[in-house]
Short mmCIF file of all heavy atoms in Angstrom, two decimals:
data_model
loop_
_atom_site.label_atom_id
_atom_site.label_comp_id
_atom_site.label_asym_id
_atom_site.label_seq_id
_atom_site.Cartn_x
_atom_site.Cartn_y
_atom_site.Cartn_z
N VAL U 1 2.73 5.47 2.95
CA VAL U 1 1.37 5.62 2.47
C VAL U 1 0.36 4.89 3.34
O VAL U 1 0.71 3.81 3.86
CB VAL U 1 1.17 5.18 0.98
CG1 VAL U 1 2.07 6.00 0.04
CG2 VAL U 1 1.46 3.75 0.86
N ASP U 2 -0.80 5.41 3.53
CA ASP U 2 -1.86 4.87 4.24
C ASP U 2 -3.20 5.40 3.79
O ASP U 2 -3.23 6.46 3.13
CB ASP U 2 -1.65 4.99 5.75
CG ASP U 2 -2.24 3.85 6.59
OD1 ASP U 2 -3.46 3.67 6.46
OD2 ASP U 2 -1.50 3.21 7.36
N ILE U 3 -4.28 4.87 4.28
CA ILE U 3 -5.63 5.28 3.86
C ILE U 3 -6.13 6.53 4.61
O ILE U 3 -7.03 7.09 4.24
CB ILE U 3 -6.69 4.19 3.85
CG1 ILE U 3 -6.84 3.67 5.29
CG2 ILE U 3 -6.46 3.10 2.94
CD1 ILE U 3 -8.01 2.73 5.60
N SER U 4 -5.42 6.79 5.69
CA SER U 4 -5.75 8.05 6.37
C SER U 4 -4.46 8.78 6.87
O SER U 4 -3.44 8.17 7.06
CB SER U 4 -6.70 7.78 7.56
OG SER U 4 -6.10 6.82 8.42
N ASN U 5 -4.58 10.06 7.03
CA ASN U 5 -3.44 10.83 7.47
C ASN U 5 -3.15 10.63 8.97
O ASN U 5 -4.00 10.29 9.70
CB ASN U 5 -3.76 12.33 7.22
CG ASN U 5 -2.48 13.14 7.12
OD1 ASN U 5 -1.38 12.64 7.06
ND2 ASN U 5 -2.69 14.42 7.01
N GLY U 6 -1.90 10.81 9.31
CA GLY U 6 -1.50 10.80 10.71
C GLY U 6 0.03 10.54 10.76
O GLY U 6 0.71 10.67 9.75
N PRO U 7 0.51 10.24 11.94
CA PRO U 7 2.01 10.00 12.10
C PRO U 7 2.48 8.91 11.19
O PRO U 7 1.93 7.86 11.14
CB PRO U 7 2.06 9.55 13.64
CG PRO U 7 0.81 9.98 14.30
CD PRO U 7 -0.18 10.03 13.20
N GLY U 8 3.60 9.24 10.50
CA GLY U 8 4.13 8.26 9.59
C GLY U 8 3.66 8.30 8.23
O GLY U 8 4.15 7.61 7.27
N VAL U 9 2.62 9.06 7.89
CA VAL U 9 1.91 9.04 6.61
C VAL U 9 2.38 10.29 5.78
O VAL U 9 2.10 11.46 6.27
CB VAL U 9 0.37 9.04 6.67
CG1 VAL U 9 -0.26 9.08 5.30
CG2 VAL U 9 -0.09 7.80 7.48
N ASP U 10 3.04 10.10 4.70
CA ASP U 10 3.48 11.12 3.89
C ASP U 10 2.46 11.41 2.75
O ASP U 10 2.21 12.50 2.47
CB ASP U 10 4.78 10.83 3.17
CG ASP U 10 5.88 10.55 4.11
OD1 ASP U 10 6.19 11.39 4.96
OD2 ASP U 10 6.52 9.42 4.07
N ILE U 11 1.76 10.36 2.28
CA ILE U 11 0.77 10.50 1.20
C ILE U 11 -0.41 9.58 1.59
O ILE U 11 -0.21 8.41 1.82
CB ILE U 11 1.37 10.08 -0.13
CG1 ILE U 11 2.55 11.04 -0.52
CG2 ILE U 11 0.34 10.06 -1.25
CD1 ILE U 11 3.26 10.65 -1.76
N VAL U 12 -1.58 10.13 1.57
CA VAL U 12 -2.78 9.32 1.74
C VAL U 12 -3.14 8.65 0.40
O VAL U 12 -3.31 9.33 -0.66
CB VAL U 12 -3.95 10.20 2.21
CG1 VAL U 12 -5.20 9.46 2.26
CG2 VAL U 12 -3.67 10.88 3.55
N CYS U 13 -3.10 7.32 0.49
CA CYS U 13 -3.24 6.56 -0.76
C CYS U 13 -3.65 5.04 -0.32
O CYS U 13 -3.07 4.51 0.48
CB CYS U 13 -2.04 6.51 -1.62
SG CYS U 13 -2.14 5.52 -3.20
N ASN U 14 -4.70 4.61 -0.98
CA ASN U 14 -5.22 3.29 -0.71
C ASN U 14 -4.10 2.28 -1.32
O ASN U 14 -3.62 2.48 -2.36
CB ASN U 14 -6.50 3.00 -1.34
CG ASN U 14 -7.19 1.73 -0.89
OD1 ASN U 14 -6.58 0.66 -0.99
ND2 ASN U 14 -8.40 1.82 -0.35
N ALA U 15 -3.85 1.16 -0.59
CA ALA U 15 -2.74 0.26 -1.06
C ALA U 15 -3.22 -0.33 -2.36
O ALA U 15 -2.34 -0.80 -3.13
CB ALA U 15 -2.60 -0.85 -0.03
N THR U 16 -4.50 -0.31 -2.70
CA THR U 16 -4.92 -0.88 -4.02
C THR U 16 -4.66 0.12 -5.15
O THR U 16 -4.75 -0.24 -6.33
CB THR U 16 -6.52 -1.13 -4.05
OG1 THR U 16 -7.20 0.08 -3.80
CG2 THR U 16 -6.85 -2.19 -2.98
N GLU U 17 -4.14 1.30 -4.81
CA GLU U 17 -3.85 2.27 -5.84
C GLU U 17 -2.44 2.65 -5.96
O GLU U 17 -2.06 3.61 -6.75
CB GLU U 17 -4.70 3.52 -5.54
CG GLU U 17 -6.19 3.36 -5.62
CD GLU U 17 -6.64 2.99 -7.09
OE1 GLU U 17 -6.10 3.54 -8.09
OE2 GLU U 17 -7.48 2.08 -7.16
N ILE U 18 -1.52 2.10 -5.22
CA ILE U 18 -0.13 2.43 -5.21
C ILE U 18 0.58 2.44 -6.53
O ILE U 18 1.37 3.25 -6.95
CB ILE U 18 0.70 1.87 -4.10
CG1 ILE U 18 0.67 0.30 -4.21
CG2 ILE U 18 0.22 2.30 -2.74
CD1 ILE U 18 1.66 -0.38 -3.25
N VAL U 19 0.33 1.39 -7.31
CA VAL U 19 0.89 1.24 -8.67
C VAL U 19 0.44 2.34 -9.54
O VAL U 19 1.20 2.96 -10.29
CB VAL U 19 0.71 -0.14 -9.24
CG1 VAL U 19 1.23 -0.22 -10.77
CG2 VAL U 19 1.48 -1.17 -8.49
N ASN U 20 -0.92 2.60 -9.53
CA ASN U 20 -1.46 3.72 -10.32
C ASN U 20 -0.85 5.03 -9.95
O ASN U 20 -0.59 5.90 -10.77
CB ASN U 20 -2.94 3.81 -10.19
CG ASN U 20 -3.68 2.59 -10.80
OD1 ASN U 20 -3.12 1.96 -11.68
ND2 ASN U 20 -4.87 2.36 -10.31
N LYS U 21 -0.62 5.26 -8.68
CA LYS U 21 -0.04 6.52 -8.22
C LYS U 21 1.43 6.72 -8.43
O LYS U 21 1.87 7.80 -8.80
CB LYS U 21 -0.42 6.71 -6.73
CG LYS U 21 0.12 8.01 -6.13
CD LYS U 21 -0.91 8.65 -5.25
CE LYS U 21 -0.38 9.99 -4.76
NZ LYS U 21 -0.96 11.12 -5.45
N PHE U 22 2.22 5.69 -8.22
CA PHE U 22 3.73 5.76 -8.21
C PHE U 22 4.30 5.08 -9.45
O PHE U 22 5.50 5.36 -9.71
CB PHE U 22 4.26 5.21 -6.92
CG PHE U 22 3.88 5.96 -5.72
CD1 PHE U 22 2.74 5.47 -4.93
CD2 PHE U 22 4.54 7.08 -5.35
CE1 PHE U 22 2.36 6.19 -3.79
CE2 PHE U 22 4.06 7.89 -4.23
CZ PHE U 22 3.08 7.39 -3.42
N GLY U 23 3.61 4.15 -10.05
CA GLY U 23 4.24 3.41 -11.21
C GLY U 23 4.84 2.17 -10.78
O GLY U 23 5.26 1.98 -9.72
N LYS U 24 4.93 1.33 -11.81
CA LYS U 24 5.54 -0.07 -11.60
C LYS U 24 7.05 0.14 -11.38
O LYS U 24 7.66 1.09 -11.92
CB LYS U 24 5.34 -0.96 -12.81
CG LYS U 24 3.95 -1.60 -12.80
CD LYS U 24 3.90 -2.62 -13.95
CE LYS U 24 2.49 -3.27 -13.88
NZ LYS U 24 2.43 -4.45 -14.72
N GLU U 25 7.63 -0.78 -10.61
CA GLU U 25 8.98 -0.88 -10.36
C GLU U 25 9.68 0.45 -9.96
O GLU U 25 10.62 0.90 -10.46
CB GLU U 25 9.66 -1.48 -11.61
CG GLU U 25 9.24 -2.84 -11.95
CD GLU U 25 9.79 -3.43 -13.24
OE1 GLU U 25 10.61 -2.75 -13.88
OE2 GLU U 25 9.42 -4.59 -13.57
N SER U 26 9.08 1.16 -8.99
CA SER U 26 9.48 2.45 -8.58
C SER U 26 10.15 2.56 -7.26
O SER U 26 10.66 3.62 -6.88
CB SER U 26 8.36 3.48 -8.62
OG SER U 26 7.20 2.98 -7.95
N PHE U 27 10.21 1.39 -6.48
CA PHE U 27 10.82 1.45 -5.21
C PHE U 27 11.77 0.21 -5.04
O PHE U 27 11.44 -0.83 -5.55
CB PHE U 27 9.79 1.47 -4.04
CG PHE U 27 9.18 2.74 -3.95
CD1 PHE U 27 8.00 3.05 -4.71
CD2 PHE U 27 9.63 3.71 -3.08
CE1 PHE U 27 7.43 4.29 -4.60
CE2 PHE U 27 9.05 4.94 -3.00
CZ PHE U 27 7.89 5.21 -3.75
N ASP U 28 12.92 0.44 -4.44
CA ASP U 28 13.93 -0.68 -4.21
C ASP U 28 13.54 -1.49 -3.02
O ASP U 28 13.89 -2.72 -2.98
CB ASP U 28 15.29 -0.05 -3.87
CG ASP U 28 15.86 0.80 -5.01
OD1 ASP U 28 16.11 0.15 -6.09
OD2 ASP U 28 15.98 1.98 -4.85
N PHE U 29 12.84 -1.01 -2.11
CA PHE U 29 12.55 -1.65 -0.86
C PHE U 29 11.12 -1.30 -0.42
O PHE U 29 10.77 -0.14 -0.33
CB PHE U 29 13.46 -1.18 0.20
CG PHE U 29 13.64 -2.03 1.44
CD1 PHE U 29 14.65 -2.96 1.49
CD2 PHE U 29 12.79 -1.94 2.46
CE1 PHE U 29 14.88 -3.79 2.61
CE2 PHE U 29 12.95 -2.72 3.61
CZ PHE U 29 13.97 -3.70 3.70
N VAL U 30 10.33 -2.37 -0.15
CA VAL U 30 8.90 -2.12 0.20
C VAL U 30 8.60 -2.75 1.56
O VAL U 30 8.97 -3.92 1.74
CB VAL U 30 7.90 -2.66 -0.89
CG1 VAL U 30 6.45 -2.34 -0.48
CG2 VAL U 30 8.23 -2.03 -2.24
N ILE U 31 8.01 -2.03 2.45
CA ILE U 31 7.72 -2.61 3.80
C ILE U 31 6.18 -2.48 3.99
O ILE U 31 5.58 -1.49 3.60
CB ILE U 31 8.33 -1.57 4.90
CG1 ILE U 31 9.88 -1.51 4.77
CG2 ILE U 31 7.96 -2.10 6.28
CD1 ILE U 31 10.53 -0.43 5.55
N SER U 32 5.66 -3.53 4.54
CA SER U 32 4.31 -3.57 4.93
C SER U 32 4.15 -4.36 6.23
O SER U 32 4.28 -5.61 6.16
CB SER U 32 3.41 -4.13 3.82
OG SER U 32 2.01 -4.16 4.20
N THR U 33 3.86 -3.73 7.25
CA THR U 33 3.81 -4.38 8.63
C THR U 33 2.44 -4.33 9.09
O THR U 33 1.84 -3.24 9.27
CB THR U 33 4.83 -3.84 9.61
OG1 THR U 33 4.57 -2.51 9.76
CG2 THR U 33 6.25 -4.01 9.17
N GLU U 34 1.86 -5.54 9.34
CA GLU U 34 0.49 -5.60 9.96
C GLU U 34 -0.59 -4.85 9.15
O GLU U 34 -1.51 -4.32 9.79
CB GLU U 34 0.59 -5.00 11.41
CG GLU U 34 1.68 -5.62 12.30
CD GLU U 34 1.76 -7.15 12.28
OE1 GLU U 34 0.86 -7.78 12.85
OE2 GLU U 34 2.62 -7.71 11.64
N LEU U 35 -0.52 -4.93 7.88
CA LEU U 35 -1.53 -4.37 7.03
C LEU U 35 -2.45 -5.40 6.35
O LEU U 35 -3.64 -5.17 6.36
CB LEU U 35 -0.85 -3.54 5.86
CG LEU U 35 -1.78 -3.25 4.73
CD1 LEU U 35 -2.69 -1.99 5.10
CD2 LEU U 35 -0.96 -2.85 3.46
N LEU U 36 -1.87 -6.46 5.96
CA LEU U 36 -2.67 -7.43 5.06
C LEU U 36 -3.93 -7.91 5.75
O LEU U 36 -4.90 -8.18 5.10
CB LEU U 36 -1.75 -8.56 4.71
CG LEU U 36 -0.70 -8.27 3.63
CD1 LEU U 36 0.07 -9.56 3.25
CD2 LEU U 36 -1.33 -7.72 2.42
N GLU U 37 -3.94 -8.15 7.05
CA GLU U 37 -5.15 -8.63 7.71
C GLU U 37 -6.21 -7.65 7.63
O GLU U 37 -7.45 -7.94 7.87
CB GLU U 37 -4.89 -9.10 9.09
CG GLU U 37 -4.55 -8.07 10.07
CD GLU U 37 -3.01 -7.80 10.26
OE1 GLU U 37 -2.28 -8.06 9.30
OE2 GLU U 37 -2.65 -7.23 11.29
N HIS U 38 -5.92 -6.34 7.36
CA HIS U 38 -6.91 -5.28 7.42
C HIS U 38 -7.45 -4.90 6.02
O HIS U 38 -8.36 -4.03 5.95
CB HIS U 38 -6.26 -3.98 8.05
CG HIS U 38 -5.87 -4.20 9.47
ND1 HIS U 38 -6.70 -4.31 10.46
CD2 HIS U 38 -4.58 -4.36 9.98
CE1 HIS U 38 -6.04 -4.52 11.60
NE2 HIS U 38 -4.83 -4.54 11.26
N VAL U 39 -6.97 -5.51 4.90
CA VAL U 39 -7.50 -5.17 3.61
C VAL U 39 -8.28 -6.26 3.09
O VAL U 39 -7.91 -7.46 3.07
CB VAL U 39 -6.35 -4.76 2.67
CG1 VAL U 39 -5.68 -3.52 3.06
CG2 VAL U 39 -5.40 -5.90 2.42
N GLU U 40 -9.52 -5.90 2.55
CA GLU U 40 -10.43 -6.93 2.08
C GLU U 40 -9.83 -7.58 0.78
O GLU U 40 -9.89 -8.79 0.63
CB GLU U 40 -11.81 -6.28 1.78
CG GLU U 40 -12.87 -7.32 1.43
CD GLU U 40 -14.24 -6.79 1.48
OE1 GLU U 40 -14.41 -5.58 1.46
OE2 GLU U 40 -15.15 -7.57 1.45
N ASP U 41 -9.32 -6.77 -0.09
CA ASP U 41 -8.72 -7.27 -1.38
C ASP U 41 -7.30 -7.48 -1.23
O ASP U 41 -6.43 -6.85 -1.86
CB ASP U 41 -9.13 -6.35 -2.56
CG ASP U 41 -8.80 -6.97 -3.90
OD1 ASP U 41 -8.29 -8.06 -3.92
OD2 ASP U 41 -9.11 -6.27 -4.90
N TRP U 42 -6.84 -8.48 -0.46
CA TRP U 42 -5.39 -8.72 -0.27
C TRP U 42 -4.66 -9.14 -1.44
O TRP U 42 -3.54 -8.80 -1.63
CB TRP U 42 -5.26 -9.77 0.85
CG TRP U 42 -5.73 -11.13 0.65
CD1 TRP U 42 -6.97 -11.66 0.93
CD2 TRP U 42 -5.03 -12.16 -0.03
NE1 TRP U 42 -7.02 -12.91 0.46
CE2 TRP U 42 -5.82 -13.29 -0.16
CE3 TRP U 42 -3.75 -12.24 -0.66
CZ2 TRP U 42 -5.48 -14.51 -0.74
CZ3 TRP U 42 -3.36 -13.49 -1.27
CH2 TRP U 42 -4.23 -14.55 -1.23
N ARG U 43 -5.32 -9.80 -2.39
CA ARG U 43 -4.70 -10.20 -3.63
C ARG U 43 -4.26 -8.98 -4.44
O ARG U 43 -3.18 -8.93 -4.92
CB ARG U 43 -5.61 -11.09 -4.54
CG ARG U 43 -5.82 -12.48 -3.90
CD ARG U 43 -6.96 -13.26 -4.72
NE ARG U 43 -7.16 -14.57 -4.11
CZ ARG U 43 -7.89 -14.86 -3.11
NH1 ARG U 43 -8.56 -13.89 -2.44
NH2 ARG U 43 -8.06 -16.08 -2.56
N GLN U 44 -5.04 -7.96 -4.52
CA GLN U 44 -4.71 -6.76 -5.29
C GLN U 44 -3.58 -6.06 -4.55
O GLN U 44 -2.64 -5.50 -5.17
CB GLN U 44 -5.89 -5.81 -5.42
CG GLN U 44 -5.65 -4.50 -6.08
CD GLN U 44 -5.24 -4.78 -7.55
OE1 GLN U 44 -5.86 -5.52 -8.26
NE2 GLN U 44 -4.08 -4.14 -8.00
N VAL U 45 -3.71 -5.95 -3.21
CA VAL U 45 -2.59 -5.25 -2.48
C VAL U 45 -1.26 -5.96 -2.66
O VAL U 45 -0.28 -5.32 -2.85
CB VAL U 45 -3.04 -5.15 -0.99
CG1 VAL U 45 -1.85 -4.66 -0.11
CG2 VAL U 45 -4.32 -4.15 -0.87
N ILE U 46 -1.33 -7.22 -2.53
CA ILE U 46 -0.09 -7.98 -2.66
C ILE U 46 0.50 -7.82 -4.11
O ILE U 46 1.69 -7.66 -4.28
CB ILE U 46 -0.17 -9.52 -2.24
CG1 ILE U 46 -0.28 -9.53 -0.74
CG2 ILE U 46 0.97 -10.32 -2.76
CD1 ILE U 46 -0.58 -10.97 -0.19
#
């Protein structure tokens, strides 16, 4: 997931909305590389 479409993006979704879109406790493994410095509301994203 990412905020814009492109290589590696299956679903366009803001990181602040992933729980609303996919539900709590829905993935076994979560990866986020080099994202946090780019989001204003890092607390919500984390």
Side-chain angles (χ1 to χ4, degrees):
V1 298
D2 208 300
I3 60 169
S4 54
N5 201 10
V9 179
D10 301 305
I11 297 173
V12 174
C13 180
N14 192 306
T16 60
E17 296 296 320
I18 58 174
V19 172
N20 292 337
K21 178 136 182 103
F22 297 96
K24 284 189 172 190
E25 300 176 0
S26 51
F27 289 86
D28 299 292
F29 199 95
V30 181
I31 301 167
S32 181
T33 57
E34 309 307 290
L35 166 75
L36 288 180
E37 69 269 22
H38 298 287
V39 295
E40 190 167 14
D41 191 355
W42 65 266
R43 288 172 182 85
Q44 180 64 48
V45 170
I46 288 174

